[in-house]
Amino acid sequence: MSLLRHTRTGLLHLHFGMRNGRTVLLRDLQKAPLMIVRPFELPCGTLMVFVVNPTGGVLGGDHSELRVTVDGGARALVLTQSATRVQPSPDGEAATQELHLKVAAGGRLEVYPERTLPFAGSIFRQHLRAELEEGAELGVTETLASGRVGMGERLRFGEYASRVEVWRAGRRVYLDALRLCPGDHTRAPGVWGGHNYAASGVWVGSGEVKDWPAVPGLLATGRSAGGAVWLRASAERGPELDAALNVARESLRGQLFGAAALQIRR
């Protein structure tokens, strides 16, 4: 190990609750390089925060931990200000991220970060665990680039691993485990094909989905055995993927949560 190497551990703990009929941020614990921009209340009453990492990206050996708690009646939306840029890891150490989400009955938490962009030679592993009480609502998406495509780094990262699990009332209702280690097999047609960007998502709510979003060859949705709604999508271009994902997300939010479309101010 190089004596010049030094890693960072970022912490961000957020607790949302209700005060005088409005969602407020009751507590926030921040440890650099993770921080938030001050909360913004959207027209629908949801409280929005942007997670910010002011450094040049995530380095091998770095670890970040995000914990979000939402009380009953509160509505919280967590976004990131920019893409997560995973820098090369010459020492072979992974950058890691842990997300722990807890939502009480009657609460709603939505987490829609910008895409993860793995540089050539990078290693990134993350684990998201959401624990919901009966009657809680949750929405989560993640998007992944195949690398810095414009710089010839398509599928040149070392490893990308993501595990997402959702528990409701003590029972697991959704599990998605993905591990990509690019090599000859992942560059063959049928894995990514000609697509450069991928997305996944999960939503849990009390509403009924009657109009399932779908775009042939680009996006599909369905329901897990536990009752969670899932989404899968991939596209050649990032804007094409983002547009389809946004339409599908708002459709599912409206049907599952009875929520108005998000009006995000950046």
Side-chain angles (χ1 to χ4, degrees), residues 53 55-58 80-86 113-117 143:
N53 183 339
T55 65
V58 180
T80 56
Q81 193 173 51
S82 61
T84 298
R85 293 173 173 82
V86 189
E114 296 296 314
R115 78 176 87 258
T116 300
L117 179 59
T143 59

Side-chain angles (χ1 to χ4, degrees), residues 89-241:
S89 180
D91 292 335
E93 291 200 62
T96 57
Q97 180 169 271
E98 294 281 341
L99 300 96
H100 304 271
L101 315 177
K102 297 186 70 172
V103 188
R108 180 192 302 158
L109 172 60
E110 298 178 81
V111 182
Y112 304 133
E114 296 296 314
R115 78 176 87 258
T116 300
L117 179 59
F119 287 26
S122 64
I123 303 175
F124 183 71
R125 300 175 185 142
Q126 69 173 353
H127 179 209
L128 184 151
R129 179 184 174 99
E131 299 178 9
L132 314 178
E133 293 183 356
E134 197 68 51
E137 297 175 338
L138 174 73
V140 176
T141 61
E142 59 177 326
T143 59
L144 173 67
S146 61
R148 294 190 294 177
V149 178
M151 300 185 68
E153 292 185 0
R154 183 178 187 272
L155 294 175
R156 297 294 176 182
F157 54 88
E159 179 186 347
Y160 173 86
S162 174
R163 180 182 176 91
V164 178
E165 51 185 304
V166 179
W167 296 72
R168 179 172 57 188
R171 174 173 175 257
R172 190 167 67 188
V173 298
Y174 178 82
L175 172 64
D176 180 31
L178 172 68
R179 183 170 180 260
L180 298 174
C181 297
D184 290 340
H185 61 290
T186 53
R187 297 191 185 102
V191 179
W192 281 75
H195 290 178
N196 296 315
Y197 302 91
S200 61
V202 58
W203 289 263
V204 176
S206 57
E208 181 180 356
V209 179
K210 296 182 179 180
D211 181 16
W212 291 91
V215 180
L218 195 155
L219 182 145
T221 53
R223 188 181 296 277
S224 73
V229 173
W230 56 263
L231 176 146
R232 292 289 185 277
S234 65
E236 180 181 357
R237 299 184 302 109
E240 180 185 12
L241 177 71

